[in-house]
Amino acid sequence: MKNYLFLLLIFSCSLFACSSDDDNNNYGDGSEIPIDIDRPSEDVKPIQMWIDAHANFSRFAEKASITSYLEKMQETGFNEVYVDVKPGIGYALYDSDILPQLTKWGTETVNRDWDYLAYWIEEAERLDMKVIASISTLGFGATKTKEGLIYDSSQWDGKTQVEMPDSSNPENLVDMRDQTDVDAAMLNPSIPEVQSFVISIIEEIATKYPKLKGICLDYCRWYGGNYGFGDTTISAFEAYSGQKVTSNNDIITDSGGIGSLYKYWIEFRSMTITNLITNIRSKIKSINPDLELHLWASAHWTSRYSVGQNWASKNYTPTGNSSIYTDTYNKTGFADQIDVFSLGAYADAVWKTEAPNSDWSVENFVTTYSNYTMGDCDVYGSFASYAYGNKATSVSDAVYLCLKNTDGLMVFEISHVINNSQWNAIKDGIDRVYK
C-alpha cells in the first residue's frame, strides 16, 4: 500500500510539472509561444562597382588582373559590376562587327587576343556575380587627342552636337569635334540616322552576350544647355513644336536669358532623349525580355532639363517655372522606360548637415528621388568615391546612405577605390546595413 501511494505521488508530481511547463510556453489565450524564432534573412541588394574604360585601360590589359580585382570586389561585398565597353572615344571593348576595337588611347596601347567583355562575364559567373555592360550612348570621339570614330570618317560630318558659346553672337556655332574641353564629342540625337546607329550597337551587344544582366546608358543626353543648335536641330525642333525660329535668340536671348521659345525647346530636347531611350528599350526587350535597361544620370533633377534628361515618372508634373516647363513637359518623363535608374548622388557633402542650404548632398538625393520616379523603376544610389579620397568615414557613410535608402548601390569607380584604399571603408558601409 505504501508503495502504491508513493508511485501515485510521483505520477501526480510529474503531471503537475508537465502542466507547469506547458503553461510557461503558452500565452494567456493558450496559444503557444515560439521558443526558437527563425528570423528571415534580408535579401542582399545589388551592390555594384563601375569599371571605367579610360581610367583602367591598362590596368585590365591581362586576364589575371580582371580575376584578381573581381575576387577583391566579391570579398568586399560587391555582387554586380558595370563594365564600360563602348566609352566616349567610340571604339569597342567587346567583339564588335560595327565598331573598331579599342587598342590605343592617347599614349596607352593594349592589344588583346581575347574578348574583354566575355571574360568579365565568364569570371563574374564563376564568382556568382552579374555584369551590366555600360556604354557612352552618344559619345564617339576623344576631343583632347582627336581620336575616335567621328574623326575617322566624313560620314559623321554635320551629325555631332553644336554649341552656341556666346548668345550675343547667335550665328557663331562651334562643332564639338573642334573643342578640346569636353568629355567626349557627342552625336546629335535628333538625327534619325544617329538613333539607328546607336540602337544597332546596343542590339549587337544584347545579341552577342546573352548572359549579361543588363545594358547601361551613360551620356544619353545633350552635352550642355547651349548644345544642340545648328540647322538640323532647329528644323527638327520646328517640326516637333510647330514654332518658327527666326533667330537662336528666340531660344536663348542675347544676354543669356530665357527666350520666348525656350520652354518649347526644352520639351523638344527632353522628348528627343526619351524617344531614343524608348526605342532602345523596345529593341532590347525584343531580343531578351529579361535583359535590364539601366541609365545613369545626375540625381539633381531640377537641373536636368538643360540636357534633356527627364528621369521622372510621366505622372510627375513640375510646379512653377512656367518659363522652363510647358504644360505637357511631364510626357517626356522616361522612368517607366528603364528598369534601373542609377541615381548619381555625386556631391562633396555626404550629410545634409554639411550643406544645409543646398540640394547637393548624398543624403538629400537618396531620400528625395522617389518624389520624381514615383515607383516607375528601381533606383540604385551611386556616389563619386573620388570626392572623399582617403576619408574612410565619408566613404562608409555614403555607402550606407545609398544602400539603405535605395534599391541598390553603385560605387564610381574602381580606380579611385584602388588609389585611395577605400575597400575597408566600403565594406564597413555595407556591413552597417546588413549586420
Side-chain angles (χ1 to χ4, degrees), residues 265-303:
W265 176 250
I266 290 301
E267 182 183 303
F268 157 73
R269 284 156 54 87
S270 294
M271 185 57 80
T272 298
I273 297 302
T274 298
N275 283 342
L276 174 58
I277 293 168
T278 301
N279 292 335
I280 289 171
R281 178 182 181 83
S282 178
K283 177 58 68 175
I284 282 177
K285 297 302 181 179
S286 71
I287 297 167
N288 180 359
D290 295 326
L291 188 64
E292 295 177 349
L293 180 59
H294 296 218
L295 181 140
W296 184 94
S298 168
H300 194 248
W301 184 88
T302 55
S303 65

Side-chain angles (χ1 to χ4, degrees), residues 48-51 60 66 68-81 120 129 414 423:
Q48 309 165 321
M49 179 75 84
W50 188 286
I51 311 297
F60 295 119
I66 294 174
S68 175
Y69 277 106
L70 267 174
E71 290 174 350
K72 179 66 174 178
M73 283 183 262
Q74 185 201 49
E75 175 188 318
T76 303
F78 291 94
N79 50 34
E80 295 187 2
V81 58
W120 277 99
M129 298 173 72
I414 193 169
W423 298 102

Side-chain angles (χ1 to χ4, degrees), residues 15 86-87 99 101 128 159 184 214 238 279 304 326 335 340 372:
L15 286 176
K86 202 291 293 176
L99 301 173
Q101 285 294 303
D128 197 25
K159 297 182 178 69
E238 290 178 334
N279 292 335
R304 292 296 88 194
T326 62
V340 175
Y372 304 101

Side-chain angles (χ1 to χ4, degrees), residues 178-434:
D178 300 324
Q179 298 178 321
T180 58
D181 57 347
V182 295
D183 297 333
M186 296 170 65
L187 293 176
N188 183 339
S190 70
I191 300 174
E193 180 187 344
V194 168
Q195 290 217 8
S196 296
F197 179 66
V198 168
I199 292 169
S200 73
I201 292 169
I202 292 168
E203 178 182 16
E204 180 178 58
I205 296 171
T207 302
K208 288 193 171 188
Y209 301 92
K211 290 186 177 181
L212 282 173
K213 185 186 183 189
I215 294 175
C216 181
L217 308 178
D218 193 16
Y219 284 93
C220 189
R221 57 180 172 88
W222 301 92
Y223 188 74
N226 290 346
Y227 286 81
F229 287 88
D231 293 343
T232 301
T233 315
I234 294 297
S235 295
F237 167 61
E238 290 178 334
Y240 172 84
S241 67
Q243 305 288 333
K244 180 63 178 175
V245 179
T246 59
S247 165
N248 289 335
N249 287 148
D250 293 342
I251 299 169
I252 300 176
T253 67
D254 58 4
S255 61
I258 292 171
S260 60
L261 300 183
Y262 187 74
K263 63 182 177 181
Y264 306 106
W265 176 250
I266 290 301
E267 182 183 303
F268 157 73
R269 284 156 54 87
S270 294
M271 185 57 80
T272 298
I273 297 302
T274 298
N275 283 342
L276 174 58
I277 293 168
T278 301
N279 292 335
I280 289 171
R281 178 182 181 83
S282 178
K283 177 58 68 175
I284 282 177
K285 297 302 181 179
S286 71
I287 297 167
N288 180 359
D290 295 326
L291 188 64
E292 295 177 349
L293 180 59
H294 296 218
L295 181 140
W296 184 94
S298 168
H300 194 248
W301 184 88
T302 55
S303 65
R304 292 296 88 194
Y305 70 88
S306 67
V307 295
Q309 285 182 321
N310 182 7
W311 49 258
S313 167
K314 289 179 174 62
N315 295 317
Y316 175 76
T317 302
T319 57
N321 292 317
S322 59
S323 59
I324 295 176
Y325 303 115
T326 62
D327 293 338
T328 54
Y329 181 75
N330 63 295
K331 70 182 180 181
T332 70
F334 61 72
D336 63 333
Q337 294 302 304
I338 56 177
D339 297 299
V340 175
F341 176 41
S342 189
L343 179 82
Y346 290 17
D348 291 336
V350 176
W351 299 94
K352 289 189 286 187
T353 53
E354 298 173 46
N357 299 315
S358 171
D359 292 338
W360 291 87
S361 68
V362 175
E363 182 186 13
N364 177 63
F365 288 141
V366 300
T367 55
T368 59
Y369 68 87
S370 61
N371 296 336
Y372 304 101
T373 56
M374 303 177 75
D376 280 1
C377 60
D378 286 343
V379 177
Y380 300 171
S382 71
F383 72 96
S385 67
Y386 58 79
Y388 313 117
N390 59 4
K391 298 176 182 176
T393 299
S394 295
V395 172
S396 175
D397 288 347
V399 168
Y400 171 80
L401 283 168
C402 288
L403 191 55
K404 186 71 175 177
N405 291 285
T406 74
D407 301 307
L409 163 73
M410 188 273 278
V411 177
F412 185 89
E413 69 76 55
I414 193 169
S415 68
H416 303 294
V417 172
I418 294 169
N419 294 338
N420 292 292
S421 302
Q422 294 175 340
W423 298 102
N424 289 338
I426 292 169
K427 188 175 189 307
D428 179 70
I430 295 170
D431 289 346
R432 288 162 64 183
V433 176
Y434 290 109

Side-chain angles (χ1 to χ4, degrees), residues 46-238:
I47 301 173
Q48 309 165 321
M49 179 75 84
W50 188 286
I51 311 297
D52 181 78
H54 197 187
N56 301 283
F57 187 51
S58 296
R59 174 174 283 116
F60 295 119
E62 304 294 336
K63 289 181 176 181
S65 183
I66 294 174
T67 296
S68 175
Y69 277 106
L70 267 174
E71 290 174 350
K72 179 66 174 178
M73 283 183 262
Q74 185 201 49
E75 175 188 318
T76 303
F78 291 94
N79 50 34
E80 295 187 2
V81 58
Y82 281 122
V83 180
D84 188 4
V85 298
K86 202 291 293 176
I89 196 170
Y91 297 146
L93 284 169
Y94 69 95
D95 179 23
S96 178
D97 299 320
I98 300 171
L99 301 173
Q101 285 294 303
L102 176 54
T103 59
K104 180 182 180 297
W105 200 327
T107 59
E108 294 181 276
T109 299
V110 174
N111 288 295
R112 298 180 181 86
D113 59 359
W114 45 278
D115 187 331
Y116 180 76
L117 176 56
Y119 190 73
W120 277 99
I121 295 171
E122 176 187 331
E123 281 299 88
E125 185 177 34
R126 179 179 68 83
L127 297 169
D128 197 25
M129 298 173 72
K130 303 293 184 183
V131 173
I132 299 99
S134 68
I135 68 167
S136 176
T137 310
L138 293 166
F140 285 90
T143 61
K144 291 180 177 61
T145 56
K146 297 294 184 285
E147 297 173 287
L149 194 74
I150 61 166
Y151 297 106
D152 295 341
S153 169
S154 60
Q155 173 188 356
W156 305 109
D157 290 356
K159 297 182 178 69
T160 47
Q161 294 184 30
V162 173
E163 183 188 21
M164 179 174 67
D166 180 4
S167 58
S168 67
N169 186 7
E171 303 306 316
N172 178 35
L173 303 177
V174 180
D175 190 313
M176 286 190 79
R177 293 182 301 178
D178 300 324
Q179 298 178 321
T180 58
D181 57 347
V182 295
D183 297 333
M186 296 170 65
L187 293 176
N188 183 339
S190 70
I191 300 174
E193 180 187 344
V194 168
Q195 290 217 8
S196 296
F197 179 66
V198 168
I199 292 169
S200 73
I201 292 169
I202 292 168
E203 178 182 16
E204 180 178 58
I205 296 171
T207 302
K208 288 193 171 188
Y209 301 92
K211 290 186 177 181
L212 282 173
K213 185 186 183 189
I215 294 175
C216 181
L217 308 178
D218 193 16
Y219 284 93
C220 189
R221 57 180 172 88
W222 301 92
Y223 188 74
N226 290 346
Y227 286 81
F229 287 88
D231 293 343
T232 301
T233 315
I234 294 297
S235 295
F237 167 61
E238 290 178 334

